[in-house]
Amino acid sequence: MILPLVRRLFISALFLGPASSIIAASAAVPPRTSLSLSKLIIFHRHGDRTPITPLTDSSFWSSTLPSALELEGISKGTTIVKNSSAIHLPPSLRDLPPVPHGAGANPPFGLLTSLGLLQTISLGTTLRTEILSSFPSLSPDTFSPRDLHVLSTDFSRTIASVRGVLTGLFPDPPAPSSPPITIDTSYTNILIPDPQPRNTQRQLDLESSLLSLVAVKDAEKLELATRVSNALRDGGIVDSQADAVSYGVGEEKDDASQDGRGASPLAFSQLAEVTKCLRVRDLLPPTISAADQEELMAYAAERWTTLLSAGTPSVSTLAMSPCLRMLLSFAADPSHPKATLISAHDSTLIGLLCALKLRMPAVWPEYASYLKLEVFDDAAGGAQHFRCSLNGEQLVSELSPSPSPFISAATLAASIVDQD
């Protein structure tokens, strides 16, 4: 799977890893002597990407992308499948025509960068160590793609990212007779909290009704959003198509947010992602300070988590219930591979953190962050329990009446809301 050129990237990537944010765990847990780890389910965010919002200097952003040779190298030994009638999709979501997502790729925008590729290869190396240490029955010599189930959202950057992770997981070239690793993109619409269109009218109506929760703070941040939007436009940084980009929970644009020149500020999620991409490369215009950028990032994160956590059931519960039901099925199936790898987005990780009522991290999950769900079988009670960690740091769930690092399968099942 790994060409010499990509192998050099792999070695360099050992020095790049996801930042972690930490929450300590403490609470009553099942008797540890009765628990045995049976499976790992790992969600990871894609690596560093070019802005989703189109900018004017497309040639520069093209220069940040991996070469065709590098992409070919990581794709060897993999195959992409998509089944619109996949068994874990709710019946109402089966056999639907594909709809492009507003956060999808518009080359060179919305694509994995060379830096992002390095980050994902490094993550694969980390996960290889974790998987092997979790299952004594596996050894470096016997661990193979047969022990792995791979899913990805149907976005160019997440598919390229999971290929990078697989390169780190299996750094040696596959045997010529080895079957390709299947990357299943069938479940995109249940792996993100903001599919377009939404999976249910109920979620869409709830999102609309909850906008009042952020209205006051939106108004407080309007001056900042307007000033930064004007700086990006006046500086010729954002493309004329930037205003057409629309994605995210509660990011609808309306005439009420128009500034004095008749142009709406860009959405908070757009401002956060554009300024972050610029700042990482020292390209912020002088009229946008580092403090401005940090304030936009913090508020975009706060806004998402506020809206996803609100409602009864919450937006995150409505959005992520089909995904949680699928995870329960993976956990309960004795024939399912020991490890499941799911390549997705920051919104996926935040959606799951909210739906599982995990105490939130101090910072937004960085590129190549990973949320790990350990599945334990309870020999004493015959039940299954989940334990979650973000970038290796254990999290506490408040899904049960008593906060605990463990979530029983029964508790998780009871939280799920049917969409059909």
Side-chain angles (χ1 to χ4, degrees):
M1 173 185 296
I2 182 165
L3 295 176
L5 179 60
V6 181
R7 188 182 295 275
R8 290 197 295 273
L9 286 176
F10 162 71
I11 293 171
S12 301
L14 294 177
F15 301 98
L16 294 171
S20 65
S21 53
I22 313 318
I23 307 255
S26 62
V29 299
R32 304 224 173 192
T33 54
S34 68
L35 296 180
S36 61
L37 182 68
S38 61
K39 293 183 179 70
L40 295 178
I41 301 173
I42 300 168
F43 290 83
H44 72 85
R45 186 184 179 189
H46 56 76
D48 177 76
R49 57 162 172 77
T50 54
I52 294 168
T53 302
L55 307 186
T56 54
D57 193 355
S58 59
S59 61
F60 168 78
W61 294 103
S62 294
S63 73
T64 68
L65 303 178
S67 70
L69 183 61
E70 290 165 352
L71 292 176
E72 179 186 358
I74 62 170
S75 68
K76 287 187 180 298
T78 67
T79 185
I80 308 296
V81 300
K82 184 174 184 178
N83 177 8
S84 63
S85 299
I87 186 172
H88 296 295
L89 287 174
S92 61
L93 300 183
R94 295 176 189 169
D95 300 316
L96 295 178
V99 177
H101 195 278
N106 177 22
F109 301 106
L111 295 175
L112 188 73
T113 65
S114 295
L115 172 60
L117 178 56
L118 297 179
Q119 291 169 333
T120 57
I121 295 173
S122 176
L123 175 60
T125 305
T126 298
L127 295 181
R128 177 179 175 87
T129 300
E130 291 197 18
I131 292 170
L132 290 174
S133 64
S134 296
F135 298 110
S137 61
L138 298 178
S139 72
D141 294 331
T142 61
F143 180 46
S144 75
R146 293 189 300 273
D147 302 303
L148 198 63
H149 182 203
V150 183
L151 288 77
S152 174
T153 58
D154 196 13
F155 286 65
S156 298
R157 60 183 175 272
T158 50
I159 293 172
S161 290
V162 79
R163 283 171 164 162
V165 172
L166 290 169
T167 298
L169 275 169
F170 305 106
D172 294 325
S177 59
S178 299
I181 301 173
T182 297
I183 301 172
D184 190 347
T185 64
S186 304
Y187 298 102
T188 300
N189 281 356
I190 67 172
L191 292 176
I192 52 177
D194 62 330
Q196 295 179 340
R198 297 294 190 265
N199 291 335
T200 65
Q201 186 64 39
R202 183 180 182 184
Q203 179 184 339
L204 186 62
D205 291 344
L206 179 58
E207 285 183 40
S208 298
S209 71
L210 293 174
L211 289 177
S212 60
L213 295 178
V214 295
V216 172
K217 201 71 174 283
D218 280 0
E220 292 174 0
K221 302 294 183 183
L222 180 58
E223 185 279 331
L224 173 64
T226 300
R227 179 166 56 80
V228 173
S229 296
N230 289 346
L232 294 172
R233 290 171 174 141
D234 295 344
I237 295 172
V238 293
D239 185 85
S240 59
Q241 297 301 309
D243 292 297
V245 175
S246 180
Y247 63 92
V249 173
E251 289 284 10
E252 293 79 8
K253 303 171 184 176
D254 57 45
D255 293 337
S257 60
Q258 302 252 328
D259 71 12
R261 302 184 311 169
S264 298
L266 295 172
F268 288 106
S269 58
Q270 286 182 275
L271 291 171
E273 66 106 6
V274 168
T275 57
K276 178 176 181 177
C277 289
L278 293 173
R279 185 181 178 188
V280 165
R281 295 164 176 87
D282 294 322
L283 295 175
L284 274 180
T287 50
I288 302 175
S289 68
D292 291 336
Q293 196 275 324
E294 290 166 5
E295 185 176 350
L296 286 167
M297 286 292 297
Y299 183 56
E302 176 188 333
R303 201 175 189 279
W304 268 77
T305 52
T306 296
L307 293 173
L308 283 169
S309 301
T312 307
S314 67
V315 172
S316 61
T317 298
L318 288 175
M320 306 307 295
S321 278
C323 176
L324 296 177
R325 190 183 299 280
M326 179 175 69
L327 301 187
L328 283 170
S329 177
F330 291 166
D333 182 357
S335 66
H336 196 81
K338 289 183 179 294
T340 298
L341 180 66
I342 304 174
S343 182
H345 309 262
D346 52 351
S347 62
T348 305
L349 271 59
I350 293 295
L352 288 168
L353 289 170
C354 292
L356 296 171
K357 294 189 176 180
L358 295 163
R359 292 178 181 171
M360 298 299 289
V363 296
W364 194 261
E366 293 286 351
Y367 293 124
S369 289
Y370 66 104
L371 178 66
K372 180 171 69 175
L373 283 70
E374 298 171 284
V375 182
F376 292 90
D377 295 336
D378 188 347
Q384 286 188 313
H385 299 269
F386 294 80
R387 186 172 65 184
C388 303
S389 61
L390 181 66
N391 296 328
E393 300 298 331
Q394 190 171 288
L395 302 177
V396 170
S397 172
E398 296 179 351
L399 201 60
S400 301
S402 298
S404 170
F406 286 92
I407 307 169
S408 72
T411 297
L412 182 55
S415 73
I416 291 173
V417 176
D418 286 327
Q419 293 202 345
D420 288 307

